[in-house]
Amino acid sequence: AVRLKAAIREATNLTASAGVAPNKFLAKIASAWKKPDGLTVIAPERVESFLQKLPVDALWGVGPVTAARLRERGIERLVDVRTADEPLLREAVGSWTDWLRQLANGVDDREVEPHHEPKSSGSENTYSQDLTDINEIRMEIDGMARDAAEWLEGKQLFCRTVTIKVRYSDFTTITRSHSRSPATRDSEDIAQRA
């Protein structure tokens, strides 16, 4: 991971965060843990203590709506997912119950697929201090939207949906999306919608 981060910096002059863990789910969380330019290693003996810190939003596939449904039932953290009554959890997440329990226990046997076609693309940034000034927030969102539009232009792709994702330091995540047809890669349109 250290070598990869150094190679990325040398090739692009950009930082990268990396996560090292016993499986894909934990490595993904670890890679986002200390952005920007972070490196988090979750050794097998640290998995349990790491999992106990995490809110339900950290679970793969749990977005704002599902997280709200879980919280309405008193399921706030991964450890709550493990101990929740089966009918209560199934009422909140349906057929995802067994999968989410596995992840909450740190179990993920999926293979890493390093080369696949992306279903979405975006621009994101992690700030060392919270942004609280609305004008600064708007300026940052505008810049990221224009970066995403430039990427679309370079790949000769279009988008219909613009999504903003805000993740707080405790991993609480809020997303808002706006879809429109026809698809576009116009930077003004994308930035305005963002």
Side-chain angles (χ1 to χ4, degrees):
V2 170
R3 284 194 306 271
L4 286 172
K5 284 168 54 67
I8 290 167
R9 184 182 292 273
E10 185 176 318
T12 66
N13 205 27
L14 298 172
T15 62
S17 291
V20 179
N23 62 49
K24 187 174 179 175
F25 165 64
L26 293 169
K28 182 163 178 55
I29 292 174
S31 70
W33 198 252
K34 291 186 179 174
K35 284 185 171 184
D37 201 24
L39 172 57
T40 301
V41 177
I42 307 172
E45 62 274 10
R46 287 186 50 226
V47 167
E48 182 57 32
S49 63
F50 187 81
L51 288 171
Q52 289 184 8
K53 300 174 190 174
L54 299 177
V56 291
D57 310 73
L59 288 168
W60 211 310
V62 173
V65 173
T66 304
R69 283 200 309 260
L70 289 166
R71 287 192 173 102
E72 286 168 4
R73 291 160 178 82
I75 303 169
E76 302 273 341
R77 310 191 72 67
L78 267 61
V79 291
D80 300 330
V81 172
R82 297 176 187 177
T83 59
D85 287 336
E86 177 92 13
L88 182 71
L89 191 56
R90 197 160 296 282
E91 179 186 309
V93 298
S95 62
W96 284 69
T97 299
D98 295 336
W99 170 245
L100 293 185
R101 275 205 207 267
Q102 272 190 277
L103 293 181
N105 282 297
V107 177
D108 180 10
D109 297 328
R110 292 172 303 150
E111 294 288 323
V112 174
E113 297 174 31
H115 304 290
H116 61 83
E117 285 296 313
K119 295 179 184 174
S120 66
S121 179
S123 176
E124 66 178 51
N125 202 345
T126 303
Y127 301 92
S128 56
Q129 294 186 327
D130 291 343
L131 298 184
T132 56
D133 178 81
I134 190 65
N135 293 320
E136 186 179 5
I137 292 168
R138 286 185 175 131
M139 185 176 73
E140 290 294 320
I141 289 174
D142 183 82
M144 286 187 278
R146 291 176 190 280
D147 286 346
E150 185 178 319
W151 183 88
L152 288 169
E153 181 69 39
K155 297 287 186 181
Q156 296 294 295
L157 297 172
F158 295 88
C159 77
R160 280 188 341 98
T161 303
V162 174
T163 302
I164 299 296
K165 175 174 74 173
V166 176
R167 177 168 288 154
Y168 296 96
S169 58
D170 68 354
F171 269 77
T172 299
T173 305
I174 299 167
T175 61
R176 296 292 181 268
S177 297
H178 181 269
S179 296
R180 182 187 300 164
S181 291
T184 185
R185 60 175 168 242
D186 178 71
S187 60
E188 254 340 287
D189 179 63
I190 293 170
Q192 181 185 26
R193 288 163 60 196

